[in-house]
Amino acid sequence: MRELIESRNARIAVIGLGYIGLPTAIMFASAGFEVTGFEVREEVVERLKNGTSHIAEPGIEDLLGEAIESGRLNPTSNPEDIRDRDVYVVCVQTPLGDDGTPDLSYLESAVKTAAKAMKKGSLIIIESTVPPLTTLKMAGLIEELTGLKRGDDFYMVHAPERVMPGRIFKELVYNSRIFGGVTPESAELAELLYRSFVKGQTFKTSSTVSEVVKLMENTFRDVNIALANEFAFLAHQYGIDVFEAIELANTHPRVRIHTPGIGVGGHCLPKDPHLLVWPAKEDFGLIKLAREINDSMPLFTKDLLFEALKTLNIPPEEAKVAVFGIAYKGDSDDTRNSPALTFVEGIREDVAEVRTYDPLVPGTSRSIEEAAEGSDAVVIATDHSAFKSLNWEELGKLMRTRILIDGRHVVENPPRGFLFKGVGRGEY
Ligand code: SAJ
């Protein structure tokens, strides 16, 4: 296998062409490997064959076009097309089910697809974020299905990604990377393979340590955001601006307080802390409480809005509210688990009308003016760059009442003539 990888003659199958699998398949193709991209969604395969991407990522159209035209990347939905590959890279989602526990059905299906197609000596790599011990379980599934033995007859690795949407191609190359093998040789082979395009540092460990590391990274972030949100609650108690306090506290060389806001969204942070503790036999208070605090932020923002309506004697049932931003974070078009949407659903039944405007998300108001027209309150729910330079004097003329609620610390100095409240802005 080592020679096949070094000579770029290893034939690679990437299973799952989503926002991680497609860029990864493109990077391997660009590094000179023959890559077959397996994707169950046939409409996605057809688009990719024509060189058009179903995911919006800077630079992806050109890189995809080159990979397809060179013949090195071949999208398919036929499992026969990935038979007897040297490497299988599994990049499928691991969402939470409706019951709040991890749904590993996509992963198991992808691993079974690989097991049916693989050969003796294949290297199986799981990039998906999974609960600890899952890679070992998947190795057992492969052994059951193929009769092959891990380590002797096939290699298996957990290789988590750390990329940020919008910077995927840069981070795939320059971010450091961890390879967790079910055997040391598995990790060595995976590291050799990825160094065909990874320029960042690479580290080898066991599959379970790798799974825990990935989940610790996002749990660390979620818990620290929850702490920042709790500092915001305190700022309201003490009548201070939490962002001023955080900026000053962060001048300490070893303090890095995160940013409070309307909540925590995306497909990672709301989920990964649950994956981390799920297989454990006991509860973990801090991690669980942090999730509860972050999930409470849309409601906290609703309270700020209702306090402002009350101050101006506007009955909520008569209020018209414009929500600016529904994406889960600034300059993204992704609305998965967006706290802005949780906020919108949380007020919809209590107010007369809710209009949303998000420049990056289709289906919202055609313009910010259309959303603001006749409204009693504007609520900023996403920190899009476009919202940082709004003409509030002009927008205010369109509004019936001028209430401004800032859920993402977008407005530094509240505009004159507005009743302003912001998450963490306790002085208002
Ligand atoms: N957020 C805050 N306060 C903060 C930072 C973020 O409220 O200080 C909110 C954001 O508005 C957003 C949510 O949290 O709603 C998640 O934001 P994020 O910047 O963590 O974005 P993700 O989920 O796209 O990316 C994270 C990253 N993980 C870490 O930074 C540790 C990324 O590196 C991972 O690759 C990604 O999860 C993932 O795929 O796991």
Side-chain angles (χ1 to χ4, degrees):
M1 174 68 92
R2 183 174 292 279
E3 303 67 43
L4 282 172
I5 292 173
E6 284 169 341
S7 63
R8 301 291 188 269
N9 289 319
R11 301 173 72 210
I12 300 173
V14 175
I15 299 177
L17 297 182
Y19 99 88
I20 293 297
L22 180 57
T24 301
I26 290 170
M27 295 309 288
F28 278 126
S30 305
F33 290 99
E34 183 210 318
V35 182
T36 307
F38 177 80
E39 167 57 57
V40 291
R41 294 169 291 176
E42 289 183 14
E43 70 283 3
V44 166
V45 170
E46 286 320 304
R47 285 188 63 173
L48 291 173
K49 281 179 174 170
N50 300 324
T52 55
S53 164
H54 58 300
I55 55 172
E57 181 62 29
I60 195 163
E61 294 292 342
D62 292 345
L63 289 165
L64 171 64
E66 285 162 26
I68 297 281
E69 279 150 33
S70 69
R72 278 200 293 275
L73 175 56
N74 305 291
T76 182
S77 51
N78 177 358
E80 280 309 305
D81 293 341
I82 57 171
R83 184 164 291 289
D84 295 337
R85 287 323 193 254
D86 302 296
V87 181
Y88 292 85
V89 184
V90 175
C91 303
V92 295
Q93 59 174 329
T94 53
L96 292 182
D98 294 340
D99 62 355
T101 63
D103 172 3
L104 300 181
S105 61
Y106 299 94
L107 178 71
E108 282 158 7
S109 169
V111 169
K112 284 176 184 166
T113 300
K116 288 177 191 140
M118 68 190 273
K119 62 183 178 182
K120 188 171 164 46
S122 289
L123 166 60
I124 317 293
I125 297 165
I126 294 178
E127 285 210 9
S128 305
T129 303
V130 294
L133 308 173
T134 300
T135 304
L136 291 175
K137 285 197 186 105
M138 293 300 112
L141 177 59
I142 289 174
E143 289 173 332
E144 271 170 47
L145 293 170
T146 62
L148 298 174
K149 180 97 180 68
R150 72 185 75 176
D152 299 335
D153 304 327
F154 68 93
Y155 305 101
M156 190 136 188
V157 175
H158 179 249
E161 48 71 28
R162 290 168 158 165
V163 295
M164 188 73 95
R167 304 201 312 243
I168 292 181
F169 287 105
K170 183 166 167 291
E171 295 204 340
L172 274 178
V173 175
Y174 294 103
N175 280 9
S176 59
R177 196 99 199 223
I178 293 164
F179 302 97
V182 299
T183 61
E185 193 178 7
S186 301
E188 280 159 26
L189 288 171
E191 180 183 48
L192 184 66
L193 176 73
Y194 277 78
R195 290 210 68 82
S196 63
F197 66 80
V198 172
K199 293 186 170 55
Q201 281 187 292
T202 52
F203 303 93
K204 297 184 288 291
T205 183
S206 71
S207 62
T208 305
V209 166
S210 170
E211 291 162 339
V212 171
V213 164
K214 170 65 189 176
L215 296 167
M216 280 167 69
E217 291 164 3
N218 282 346
T219 301
F220 165 84
R221 193 159 169 79
D222 195 52
V223 168
N224 277 279
I225 295 167
L227 179 61
N229 286 329
E230 195 141 81
F231 288 157
F233 297 154
L234 288 172
H236 285 272
Q237 298 286 327
Y238 301 142
I240 63 167
D241 177 346
V242 78
F243 299 98
E244 178 190 4
I246 288 172
E247 188 177 354
L248 292 173
N250 283 350
T251 60
H252 186 293
R254 288 178 296 286
V255 172
R256 187 54 66 243
I257 298 169
H258 285 47
T259 307
I262 192 171
V264 171
H267 57 286
C268 306
L269 269 61
K271 165 180 69 100
D272 290 2
H274 294 295
L275 296 190
L276 177 61
V277 301
W278 179 59
K281 298 289 175 283
E282 58 187 82
D283 210 352
F284 285 80
L286 175 61
I287 292 172
K288 190 160 170 265
L289 178 59
R291 285 277 69 242
E292 290 165 6
I293 290 169
N294 289 335
D295 283 349
S296 77
M297 297 314 288
L299 194 59
F300 180 78
T301 310
K302 175 179 176 181
D303 290 346
L304 293 179
L305 169 63
F306 279 40
E307 275 170 36
L309 291 170
K310 189 173 177 200
T311 302
L312 298 186
N313 299 317
I314 298 174
E317 62 275 11
E318 293 174 14
K320 293 183 180 180
V321 181
V323 180
F324 288 1
I326 58 170
Y328 83 91
K329 74 172 182 178
D331 300 336
S332 163
D333 63 355
D334 193 340
T335 60
R336 281 177 291 186
N337 301 314
S338 173
L341 287 178
T342 308
F343 172 80
V344 167
E345 290 320 307
I347 65 168
R348 193 180 288 288
E349 299 307 312
D350 303 318
V351 299
E353 182 186 359
V354 182
R355 285 187 216 146
T356 59
Y357 170 72
D358 190 309
L360 302 181
V361 179
T364 62
S365 300
R366 286 188 301 268
S367 71
I368 203 160
E369 291 79 10
E370 182 186 87
E373 174 72 40
S375 66
D376 297 301
V378 163
V379 180
I380 301 173
T382 306
D383 48 331
H384 287 318
S385 303
F387 295 157
K388 292 175 180 166
S389 53
L390 294 177
N391 183 331
W392 288 104
E393 193 176 338
E394 288 309 306
L395 281 171
K397 290 174 185 165
L398 300 172
M399 297 171 71
R400 182 167 68 176
T401 316
R402 293 177 193 163
I403 291 173
L404 175 54
I405 307 295
D406 188 359
R408 282 288 185 210
H409 193 219
V410 163
V411 174
E412 194 58 47
N413 303 304
R416 271 179 334 107
F418 278 78
L419 172 56
F420 174 86
K421 288 185 179 294
V423 171
R425 309 293 289 280
E427 72 278 34
Y428 292 98

